[in-house]
Amino acid sequence: MGRVNFVKFKLNRFEYVKPFHITNSISYDTENIEVVVELDNGIVGYGEASPSFRVNGEKVQVLLALEPVINEMIVGMDVREYRKIFDETDKLKAAPSIKAAVQYAVLDAFSEEIGVPVYQLFGGAKRELETDYTISIGTLDERLREAKEIVARGHSVIKIKVGENLEEDIQAVIAISEVSKGCKYIVDANMGYTPKQAVKFVTELYRAGVDIAVFEQPVWMFDIEGLKYVRWNSP
Amino acid sequence: MGRVNFVKFKLNRFEYVKPFHITNSISYDTENIEVVVELDNGIVGYGEASPSFRVNGEKVQVLLALEPVINEMIVGMDVREYRKIFDETDKLKAAPSIKAAVQYAVLDAFSEEIGVPVYQLFGGAKRELETDYTISIGTLDERLREAKEIVARGHSVIKIKVGENLEEDIQAVIAISEVSKGCKYIVDANMGYTPKQAVKFVTELYRAGVDIAVFEQPVWMFDIEGLKYVRWNSP
């Protein structure tokens, strides 16, 4: 068999080791929802939703209220026909993070049932994934200390949060690059710059010899003309 | 394990029970290439290519000459990392039918290795697929006889080849619909109509109460303006 017996949500609260500061937002903790899918043969699959009100408009209390809805949707369905479960849960258009967590839990249970890891199910394209480590917005000293810690821990992809103060950001990224030679940099302005500021930012970094791998959210997300301007005026 | 030991091609020739007549082409037989992928643990996967020179520019002799190339590409690779094998074989841009056959054979071997049918691997969206049965171009009598046979065999989706004679086609489709009530119709002109003929064709059928499910290749494939015309002027 492999039919869904029940779906259960569990709220987990995580406190950050230190505050996480990005443009217009400082957070001290996060609340994630763990999704447990139990099958009638006792197999259990797990998923996790990390909702963001800022990004998706999702509220944790609202997502928790979906537990009975999702049970009604998929209890009794067979994970060996997970595409049918996906077709049902794809209707959760206003709750993308919980939808993804439920679907992943279903895949996890299917994977357990057939004894094949999920990464092989989808073709085993990679055996390793490199993740980045993030430097919050802070004073130059704080940022440099974080950069040195990250390099010491062996990471080689660094995400740098910028977007609140153009001149400080430029100086900080240059200084960070000097203490982390050989690393790749993702700079993330979380929509904090104007289009002209964003172009000035990358142009000055380019002149200083700092190569940026990804420039994330330079300007306001709906400013399509501004994004085009940044795209066509970046070095 | 699950590594590819060798890939073998086999040419199969099939003669049609009766000639297959579509716009500008009558065929009496077809040559398909069977692809066998054998793993080092003895597991065997099968695929099949049905190349069409008219559609893809593929020639059977050319595809057969790819056998050593494909062996060099994927021998030793592990089907549990089939996405990597796909990345390699995706380079066969000039031989789409053999590429698909090889990739399917790899999936078939992977499926055999893990003991999970391919349809479940991809989520088991459906347990049954309804296929259509095709009526060639022919005299009205021949077409009606074919239609009756198809219905008698229990099919309920009928593909009707048209595109060589507009007036005959209209009369034929109407007559066919009368001897096959309740069936769904796919009409396929194999690019045989002008845009105006195509619109006349569907308009007259619509007036006669015949509902077409799909109108395949009404006009020349690269006539984008003509396709738009048909799209916007069809009932």
Side-chain angles (χ1 to χ4, degrees), chain A residues 158-229:
Chain A
I158 301 178
K159 181 183 276 200
I160 308 168
K161 291 290 184 182
V162 294
E164 283 194 353
N165 185 314
L166 181 63
E167 292 306 329
E168 276 181 32
D169 289 341
I170 292 168
Q171 295 318 314
V173 175
I174 292 171
I176 287 168
S177 77
E178 280 159 7
V179 299
S180 61
K181 297 272 180 221
C183 285
K184 276 174 74 175
Y185 305 103
I186 300 167
V187 289
D188 183 0
N190 288 102
M191 316 191 284
Y193 291 143
T194 63
K196 284 198 176 172
Q197 285 178 320
V199 169
K200 185 172 184 208
F201 176 78
V202 282
T203 306
E204 299 229 352
L205 287 179
Y206 184 75
R207 284 198 191 125
V210 182
D211 192 22
I212 299 299
V214 179
F215 189 6
E216 198 176 333
Q217 288 201 317
V219 303
W220 171 236
M221 64 198 285
F222 296 116
D223 182 7
I224 304 297
E225 287 305 314
L227 287 164
K228 270 160 92 171
Y229 177 84

Side-chain angles (χ1 to χ4, degrees), chain A residues 81-84 121 123 125 127, chain B residues 81-83 121 123 125 127:
Chain A
E81 297 175 352
Y82 64 83
R83 184 58 59 181
K84 289 183 185 170
L121 206 60
R127 283 185 175 276
Chain B
E81 297 174 351
Y82 65 83
R83 183 60 56 182
L121 206 60
R127 283 186 174 274

